[in-house]
């Protein structure tokens, strides 16, 4: 009788264990399905912690050559070998060599799977993803800085390195887009409107977030399909014409993609929600001309020490759509907002170099730049 009771008790315990195991399995499946994106699943499998000296990957988006390579040469020359790496996305077939670049730091640093890029098109995002993908192949790269061919550093390498490595967060300009109606319901439900964000394309990412961008196969296809730039109006021809209401949807992919993807991945709290790259805009007073705003190009005359000092002295940024004043911090310490600036002409870059902004230089460097 005792043996029979023991047998019944064992069977009950066995059924309880099986039932509980099945319940846990079902709950796990429901949790995975509720995430909805491959990037979130990726985050549950973080990489093995890196051991060694971390590097900053400098990622340049170029039309062809790099006109300010002489300034960046001085910047890297005053840095430590083994603490940085360089990747350039240029037009297909363009090779950086002695014939195309004055700096050996850039020789052979082009990625070989580059594509033709058009401003305001999804090809810009694709080029960024290609750069990140190439840089992620080196486990030493722990920070990823996206730069244009007209960007300049505002500090020397040592300061830049310490600034970026002292923070565990990515620097991504990200805010609510409540004024321009660039979101389209066609993106729903994969991209809900409450997750739609806007910001500067000039980002600095930690490795975890760079991996999210490269792994994404759900958000980018929707941007390629539904987020497209509307052709600009010719304001001069319209001066004597009646106002025209443009009904075609307008969306600039590179101003929304990274911000929206990271928001959907619930990574907002892991960001310093600001860019590290200063840009001055030629803001038009004509509302109709809003889409034609473009960055101001710094020439020799307006790249004065006083102007650069004012840029470097900025310590907060106001976001009108969120009524948010973003105080610039790195690892909870107040710091200058900007490490880089754009768009700089060669003359303006030469002035920065001559004043020792990025580190000591010799006359031969300046002479090479003038040739």
């Amino acid at each position: 009788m005792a043996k029979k009771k023991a047998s019944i008790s064992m069977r009950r315990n066995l059924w309880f264990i099986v039932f509980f195991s099945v319940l846990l399995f079902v709950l796990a499946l429901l949790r995975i399905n509720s995430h909805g994106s491959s990037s979130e699943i990726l985050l549950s499998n973080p990489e093995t912690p890196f051991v060694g000296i971390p590097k900053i990957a400098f990622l340049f988006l170029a039309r062809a050559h790099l006109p300010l390579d002489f300034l960046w040469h001085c910047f890297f020359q005053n840095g430590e070998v083994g603490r940085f790496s360089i990747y350039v996305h240029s037009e297909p077939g363009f090779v950086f060599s002695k014939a195309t670049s004055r700096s050996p730091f850039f020789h052979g640093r082009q990625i070989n799977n580059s594509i033709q890029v058009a401003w305001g098109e999804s090809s810009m995002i694709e080029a960024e993803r290609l750069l990140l993908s190439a840089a992620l192949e080196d486990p030493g790269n722990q920070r990823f800085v996206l730069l244009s061919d007209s960007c300049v550093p505002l500090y020397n390498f040592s300061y830049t390195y310490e600034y970026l490595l002292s923070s565990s967060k990515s620097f991504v300009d990200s805010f609510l887009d409540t004024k321009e109606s660039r979101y389209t319901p066609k993106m729903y439900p994969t991209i809900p409107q409450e997750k739609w964000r806007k910001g500067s394309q000039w980002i600095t990412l930690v490795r975890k977030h760079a991996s999210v961008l490269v792994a994404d196969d759900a958000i980018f296809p929707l941007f390629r399909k539904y987020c497209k730039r509307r052709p600009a109006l010719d304001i001069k021809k319209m001066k004597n014409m009646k106002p025209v209401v443009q009904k075609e949807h307008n969306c600039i992919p590179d101003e929304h993609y990274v911000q929206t993807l990271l928001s959907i991945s619930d990574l907002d709290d892991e960001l310093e929600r600001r860019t590290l790259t200063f840009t001055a805009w030629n803001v038009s007073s004509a509302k109709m001309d809003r889409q034609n705003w473009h960055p101001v190009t710094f020439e020799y005359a307006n790249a004065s020490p006083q102007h650069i000092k004012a840029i470097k002295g900025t310590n907060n940024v106001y976001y009108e759509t969120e009524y948010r004043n973003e105080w610039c911090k790195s690892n909870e310490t107040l710091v200058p907002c900007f490490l880089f600036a754009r768009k700089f002409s060669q003359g303006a870059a030469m002035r920065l170099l001559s004043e020792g902004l990025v580190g000591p230089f010799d006359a031969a460097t300046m002479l090479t730049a003038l040739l």
Side-chain angles (χ1 to χ4, degrees):
M1 188 71 177
K3 288 183 179 180
K4 188 175 182 180
K5 286 184 178 180
S7 177
I8 293 172
S9 178
M10 287 178 64
R11 275 183 285 178
R12 284 178 179 172
N13 289 338
L14 181 61
W15 278 110
F16 177 77
I17 292 170
V18 170
F19 174 78
F20 190 69
S21 299
V22 170
L23 180 62
L24 287 176
F25 178 72
V26 171
L27 288 173
L29 285 177
L30 289 173
R31 185 177 181 184
I32 291 172
N33 289 334
S34 68
H35 284 178
S37 76
S38 59
S39 60
E40 289 183 330
I41 296 173
L42 175 70
L43 296 183
S44 66
N45 296 287
E47 294 184 356
T48 303
F50 173 72
V51 178
I53 298 175
K55 293 191 288 187
I56 299 173
F58 291 86
L59 315 177
F60 291 87
L61 276 171
R63 295 173 181 84
H65 71 295
L66 288 169
L68 307 185
D69 56 359
F70 61 92
L71 178 63
W72 284 102
H73 178 85
C74 183
F75 175 81
F76 292 124
Q77 194 172 42
N78 286 284
E80 283 189 53
V81 175
R83 291 180 182 260
F84 65 88
S85 54
I86 300 169
Y87 302 84
V88 187
H89 183 286
S90 189
E91 62 182 3
F94 190 92
V95 177
F96 282 82
S97 63
K98 289 183 178 180
T100 58
S101 177
R102 292 160 289 204
S103 171
F105 286 112
F106 293 101
H107 294 172
R109 298 314 303 160
Q110 72 284 343
I111 60 174
N112 297 321
N113 57 343
S114 63
I115 60 172
Q116 199 65 47
V117 175
W119 178 83
E121 304 294 341
S122 60
S123 56
M124 184 74 76
I125 301 174
E126 194 169 353
E128 295 174 13
R129 282 158 50 97
L130 289 171
L131 279 168
L132 287 168
S133 179
L136 281 168
E137 291 180 8
D138 183 348
N141 290 329
Q142 296 293 306
R143 298 294 184 273
F144 304 80
V145 182
L146 187 65
L147 300 159
S148 77
D149 55 11
S150 65
C151 278
V152 298
L154 294 174
Y155 297 89
N156 61 28
F157 180 86
S158 177
Y159 182 89
T160 303
Y161 185 88
E162 294 300 326
Y163 187 115
L164 294 179
L165 269 297
S166 67
S167 175
S168 61
K169 295 186 174 184
S170 291
F171 294 87
V172 179
D173 189 44
S174 179
F175 55 91
L176 297 173
D177 179 27
T178 59
K179 291 189 173 183
E180 298 190 60
S181 303
R182 289 182 175 179
Y183 176 81
T184 172
K186 293 178 182 178
M187 296 178 173
Y188 186 84
T190 305
I191 304 177
Q193 187 168 5
E194 64 270 19
K195 294 292 187 178
W196 184 253
R197 298 289 185 272
K198 185 183 178 183
S200 168
Q201 81 175 101
W202 309 112
I203 56 176
T204 297
L205 301 177
V206 297
R207 189 174 181 89
K208 172 183 173 181
H209 300 159
S211 298
V212 170
L213 263 70
V214 171
D216 169 45
D217 59 4
I219 307 304
F220 179 63
L222 289 177
F223 266 78
R224 188 160 46 192
K225 187 174 182 180
Y226 296 119
C227 186
K228 298 180 179 181
R229 176 174 60 92
R230 181 173 60 203
L233 292 172
D234 191 331
I235 301 301
K236 293 180 180 179
K237 291 182 179 180
M238 295 181 62
K239 282 186 177 180
N240 300 319
M241 296 172 62
K242 293 181 180 180
V244 176
V245 177
Q246 286 186 292
K247 295 182 180 180
E248 189 178 350
H249 182 253
N250 185 49
C251 184
I252 311 298
D254 57 74
E255 294 181 0
H256 298 276
Y257 172 68
V258 174
Q259 293 79 1
T260 299
L261 174 60
L262 295 179
S263 177
I264 288 173
S265 302
D266 294 325
L267 295 171
D268 285 331
D269 291 340
E270 297 182 17
L271 308 177
E272 293 287 355
R273 293 168 58 199
R274 60 185 178 88
T275 181
L276 295 177
T277 302
F278 175 83
T279 306
W281 295 90
N282 61 340
V283 181
S284 171
S285 59
K287 189 174 181 181
M288 189 181 297
D289 199 22
R290 185 184 181 94
Q291 63 175 311
N292 289 325
W293 291 359
H294 284 290
V296 172
T297 297
F298 285 85
E299 303 292 348
Y300 184 92
N302 57 356
S304 65
Q306 294 78 14
H307 200 159
I308 301 303
K309 184 179 179 181
I311 295 172
K312 294 170 70 170
T314 305
N315 60 10
N316 68 93
V317 181
Y318 181 68
Y319 291 90
E320 184 180 352
T321 61
E322 297 180 352
Y323 305 102
R324 170 171 61 96
N325 201 49
E326 184 77 12
W327 289 92
C328 300
K329 296 179 181 180
S330 178
N331 198 27
E332 297 304 315
T333 302
L334 285 173
V335 291
C337 291
F338 303 113
L339 292 179
F340 313 100
R342 60 186 290 268
K343 302 173 62 172
F344 275 63
S345 66
Q346 287 188 323
M350 288 177 191
R351 186 168 186 177
L352 300 185
L353 187 62
S354 67
E355 289 164 3
L357 189 72
V358 298
F361 81 103
D362 54 31
T365 304
M366 182 67 77
L367 182 62
T368 302
L370 291 168
L371 293 177

